[in-house]
Amino acid sequence: MSQPLVLDGLKVAEDIKSKLQARVSSLKEEGVTPCLATVLVGDDSSSATYVRMKGNACEKLGIQSKRIHLPSDTTTEELIQCIEELNQDPLVDGILLQHPVPSHIDERAAFEAISIDKDVDGVTSWGFGQLAFGFGKYPCCTPAAIMAILDYYNLPIEGKHAVVVGRSPILGKPVSIMLLNRNATVTTCHSRTQNLSDLVKQADIVVAAVGKPNFIQGDWMKEGAVVLDAGYNEGNIGDVDYEACFEKASAITPVPGGVGPVTISMLLKHTVDSAELRANQ
Ligand code: NAP
């Protein structure tokens, strides 16, 4: 078989950002500067890096980044109070609470405190419900990134069998819903799924969202499958055995440089979408 198409997330991200640039400029001409508030609780170094990357990406595009760093002994009530203040702040368009928060905090309660209008990371159950009904404004960013990659490369979704491996609320479940909303036939797999490899072998589209390095094997792939690897494990390793799956796939995302960069662009896009709604109020 010929070499697969390598789905270049950096290229997709640049395309999204270049379109956003013009929208940010015209918002600024109207006196509106889009603003994303990021909330980091505690001292986890990877979380701090993710938040810094998101803040820097905002600033590069002219989006204001309001960075809030709370100490690790912050209580659930204090975190919710902080989120409520951001909900009330008319100059904040989006709120991102970096996951995970320290374990003594009720993370779900904190996510739920984010106003639906500012839930640009798609973490509230209200946003999830809207997504399921097909009219959500701000889907979770990684699932949205996966869909954006498929669309950028004009890869067909309708009628295809998509197998999603993983069912987390921020990734596997919402991407399954988004594929279903686009008329794919979706199988969602998880840790109790039986005969996983047989199911993956039936897939036209494989989404890997497991959190286990090199988990999806080359000999599980149908010839010509489209492979999207959302996994990001220590050492820049995806959830897909890239070399082995490369042999079988018709298109595949690399790690790094695949889903990751597009995820950040989707966060920026949702923040700009929200700022435009503010400008039009
Ligand atoms: P998660 O919450 O740990 O969920 C992992 C999912 O994989 C669960 O649904 C789990 O099933 C399933 N699973 C675990 N072992 C399995 C097995 N042996 N067979 C089949 N399914 C299995 O992880 P997540 O937050 O969704 O993240 C998944 C991956 O995506 C991670 O590598 C993470 O770093 C990455 N990620 C990347 C981005 C990005 O921007 N690129 C963003 C978010 C996450 P159960 O539900 O049964 O436990």
Side-chain angles (χ1 to χ4, degrees), residues 142 166-168 170-171 190-191 209-212 215 230-233 263:
T142 306
R167 59 170 168 181
S168 73
I170 55 137
L171 188 42
H190 46 82
S191 64
V210 197
K212 295 199 160 139
F215 180 76
Y232 195 71
N233 306 290
T263 297

Side-chain angles (χ1 to χ4, degrees), residues 117-130:
D117 295 328
K118 300 191 180 189
D119 181 20
V120 291
D121 203 24
V123 293
T124 61
S125 54
W126 191 354
F128 186 88
Q130 288 187 340

Side-chain angles (χ1 to χ4, degrees), residues 10-281:
L10 293 167
K11 205 164 139 187
V12 181
E14 276 318 308
D15 181 63
I16 294 167
K17 285 190 274 189
S18 70
K19 288 175 183 146
L20 287 178
Q21 191 80 68
R23 291 170 60 190
V24 171
S25 301
S26 57
L27 276 167
K28 286 191 168 178
E29 278 164 22
E30 292 176 51
V32 172
T33 299
C35 173
L36 175 71
T38 58
V39 183
L40 171 67
V41 188
D43 301 314
D44 179 71
S45 65
S46 325
S47 293
T49 306
Y50 293 141
V51 166
R52 194 167 50 248
M53 279 165 62
K54 290 165 188 170
N56 291 347
C58 280
E59 281 159 8
K60 246 179 138 175
L61 209 70
I63 297 172
Q64 191 193 341
S65 155
K66 184 178 170 100
R67 306 179 192 208
I68 294 165
H69 189 176
L70 300 173
S72 14
D73 61 357
T74 301
T75 63
T76 302
E77 292 69 29
E78 286 164 340
L79 177 56
I80 289 176
Q81 170 72 28
C82 165
I83 289 168
E84 277 168 0
E85 283 165 21
L86 295 170
N87 286 338
Q88 298 305 320
D89 186 337
L91 299 180
V92 168
D93 298 298
I95 301 170
L96 174 126
L97 170 61
Q98 183 62 43
H99 159 87
V101 295
S103 58
H104 66 275
I105 293 178
D106 182 345
E107 184 179 77
R108 183 47 31 207
F111 278 146
E112 296 300 343
I114 298 172
S115 152
I116 183 75
D117 295 328
K118 300 191 180 189
D119 181 20
V120 291
D121 203 24
V123 293
T124 61
S125 54
W126 191 354
F128 186 88
Q130 288 187 340
L131 176 74
F133 280 100
F135 58 83
K137 266 197 302 220
Y138 310 122
C140 284
C141 293
T142 306
I146 290 169
M147 302 306 288
I149 293 172
L150 288 168
D151 287 338
Y152 180 87
Y153 285 99
N154 285 319
L155 295 165
I157 300 170
E158 183 164 321
K160 299 295 177 191
H161 184 191
V163 173
V164 177
V165 189
R167 59 170 168 181
S168 73
I170 55 137
L171 188 42
K173 265 187 200 154
V175 79
S176 296
I177 290 171
M178 290 171 89
L179 288 161
L180 182 63
N181 288 347
R182 292 281 299 273
N183 299 318
T185 302
V186 182
T187 303
T188 307
C189 304
H190 46 82
S191 64
R192 322 281 168 86
T193 296
Q194 294 183 2
N195 305 322
L196 179 63
S197 61
D198 290 344
L199 291 168
V200 174
K201 267 179 206 155
Q202 295 169 28
D204 304 305
I205 299 171
V206 179
V207 177
V210 197
K212 295 199 160 139
N214 295 328
F215 180 76
I216 307 281
Q217 305 295 303
D219 60 7
W220 298 5
M221 281 301 136
K222 176 162 109 176
E223 289 282 348
V226 171
V227 183
L228 297 127
D229 186 355
Y232 195 71
N233 306 290
E234 212 177 308
N236 276 348
I237 298 170
D239 287 349
V240 164
D241 182 345
Y242 184 80
E243 306 286 315
C245 293
F246 189 91
E247 301 293 323
K248 296 274 195 71
S250 61
I252 186 165
T253 54
V255 176
V259 175
V262 188
T263 297
I264 295 185
S265 303
M266 294 319 300
L267 180 67
L268 304 179
K269 178 183 176 296
H270 295 164
T271 304
V272 174
D273 290 344
S274 176
E276 285 177 346
L277 289 173
R278 164 158 69 101
N280 292 330
Q281 263 170 10

